[in-house]
Amino acid sequence: MQNDRRLAVLRAIVEDYVSTEEPVGSKALVERHGLGVSSATVRNDMAVLEEEGYITQPHTSAGRVPTDKGYRLFVDKLSTLKPMSQAERRAIASFLDGAVDLDDVVQRSTRLLSQLTRQVAVVQYPILARSTVRHVELVALAPSRLLVVLILSTGRVEQRLVELPVAVDEDALSELRNRVNRAAVGQVIADAAAALRALPEQVVPHDKAAAPIVDTLVDAMSDHRSDERIAVAGASNLARYGDSFDTSVRPLLEALEEHVVLLKLIGEATSGGLVTVRIGAEGPYEELSSTSVVTTGYGPGDEALATLGVVGPTRMDYPGTMAAVRAVARYVSRILDEA
């Protein structure tokens, strides 16, 4: 019973501190949260929580604030995530459904996530190597010129012009199109490229069109421009944390300029809708020990192709942030699945 009550006290301290940005005292806790016990009992519980390292007293005669350990216990004990309201869900759907291509999806997701959480949002572009081939289209522009269109499970579309050494009629083009799709569709990039390289040996010897088409597709599949690309939005939200500029904001602003740092900070993609929270020193960089990161993976179906999330000082609304990150990831995954 005492442990449950102390957890309720800790939860109340976290919620009040995030909301008011001021250290929390026992009297305020009793008045605001209806804990059902006296101020003296709450003070005793706070003393135990402080002794165990879950809260700390920043100044003499001041209230208490959560430590990283306190935030960690608070997050671990969340039984359910704060649900998104109907209005928030409609806003997410309408904003993201208007996207026209993968770049637009990523940019819109980043802006939306920063607006929902009032934090810095980071969205990694889907990693090419993890994606599969959804479709290949060969379009005749002239008897010896084709437009090759490669469509991936990430929603990414690559288009290339191919000049053929011979003219190709519609029947031959249809046969090539079928062969290419049978070899590549549903395969991860590496396997699709290997299957395509074997195609010229399988078609009739005098068909000179297959080789340049295969070379073009393999080249498109090995284009790694997006493998380490990220989009960032919401840096202006850090102005809310001016009181901790040197400890929290300045290091994070510097990190925003280094995409390699951000990629390591948000970590590997996780599948299954799992939301990961790393608090303070749990992250990979000591200089960002006053920063928390909330992330999850996204991709079509159950396939996590990349990571999205938010980064900010440890004093953040964890339930609301976790819910927003999960909701946006689900909508983006749905868009990619339906693309």
Side-chain angles (χ1 to χ4, degrees), residues 241-282:
Y241 300 94
D243 59 323
S244 55
F245 183 84
D246 286 333
T247 57
S248 299
V249 178
R250 188 199 300 275
L252 189 48
L253 283 173
E254 293 172 353
L256 295 182
E257 298 179 2
E258 299 289 342
H259 284 191
V260 173
V261 172
L262 284 180
L263 281 168
K264 187 172 181 182
L265 193 63
I266 64 176
E268 291 291 328
T270 54
S271 58
L274 177 66
V275 177
T276 300
V277 181
R278 288 192 293 182
I279 299 169
E282 295 171 356

Side-chain angles (χ1 to χ4, degrees), residues 127-143:
I127 296 175
L128 184 63
R130 294 180 187 163
S131 57
T132 58
V133 176
R134 181 164 286 174
H135 183 68
V136 177
E137 188 56 61
L138 306 179
V139 181
L141 303 178

Side-chain angles (χ1 to χ4, degrees), residues 3 7 11 21-22 24 26 31 35 42 54 56 112 143 151 163 173 183 261 285 288 294 324 331:
N3 287 339
L7 184 59
R11 183 181 295 112
E21 303 178 14
E22 296 289 341
V24 184
S26 58
E31 291 174 350
L35 297 172
V42 172
Y54 294 108
T56 187
L112 176 63
I151 303 172
E163 298 289 344
L173 184 61
V261 172
Y285 297 105
L288 294 175
V294 180
Y331 275 97

Side-chain angles (χ1 to χ4, degrees), residues 92-93 95-99 101 105 109 134 154-155 330-339:
I92 293 172
F95 190 70
L96 293 182
D97 285 347
D101 57 23
V105 169
S109 302
R134 181 164 286 174
T154 59
R330 285 178 173 176
Y331 275 97
V332 174
S333 298
R334 190 204 69 193
I335 290 170
L336 295 181
D337 204 30
E338 296 174 353

Side-chain angles (χ1 to χ4, degrees), residues 105-247:
V105 169
V106 170
Q107 295 297 331
R108 284 173 181 250
S109 302
T110 313
R111 293 199 305 273
L112 176 63
L113 199 51
S114 70
Q115 291 166 9
L116 287 172
T117 63
R118 299 180 67 205
Q119 301 286 352
V120 177
V122 181
V123 179
Q124 179 187 22
Y125 276 75
I127 296 175
L128 184 63
R130 294 180 187 163
S131 57
T132 58
V133 176
R134 181 164 286 174
H135 183 68
V136 177
E137 188 56 61
L138 306 179
V139 181
L141 303 178
S144 60
R145 176 182 291 179
L146 299 181
L147 175 66
V148 175
V149 183
L150 172 66
I151 303 172
L152 302 179
S153 60
T154 59
R156 178 172 170 176
V157 178
E158 292 286 340
Q159 301 183 62
R160 300 283 197 280
L161 285 175
V162 184
E163 298 289 344
L164 303 178
V166 294
V168 177
D169 61 27
E170 186 53 44
D171 289 341
L173 184 61
S174 178
E175 174 64 19
L176 272 172
R177 184 186 297 115
N178 291 336
R179 284 179 175 272
V180 165
N181 277 286
R182 282 199 300 269
V185 169
Q187 303 286 338
V188 295
I189 289 296
D191 294 343
L196 287 170
R197 289 190 186 98
L199 267 187
E201 301 173 5
Q202 300 169 10
V203 300
V204 290
H206 65 271
D207 189 343
K208 298 179 180 179
I213 292 172
V214 165
D215 290 343
T216 300
L217 282 168
V218 171
D219 179 68
M221 290 176 183
S222 62
D223 185 349
H224 296 287
R225 286 174 300 170
S226 70
D227 276 12
E228 293 189 354
R229 286 178 63 198
I230 59 174
V232 181
S236 60
N237 288 321
L238 293 175
R240 297 189 295 122
Y241 300 94
D243 59 323
S244 55
F245 183 84
D246 286 333
T247 57

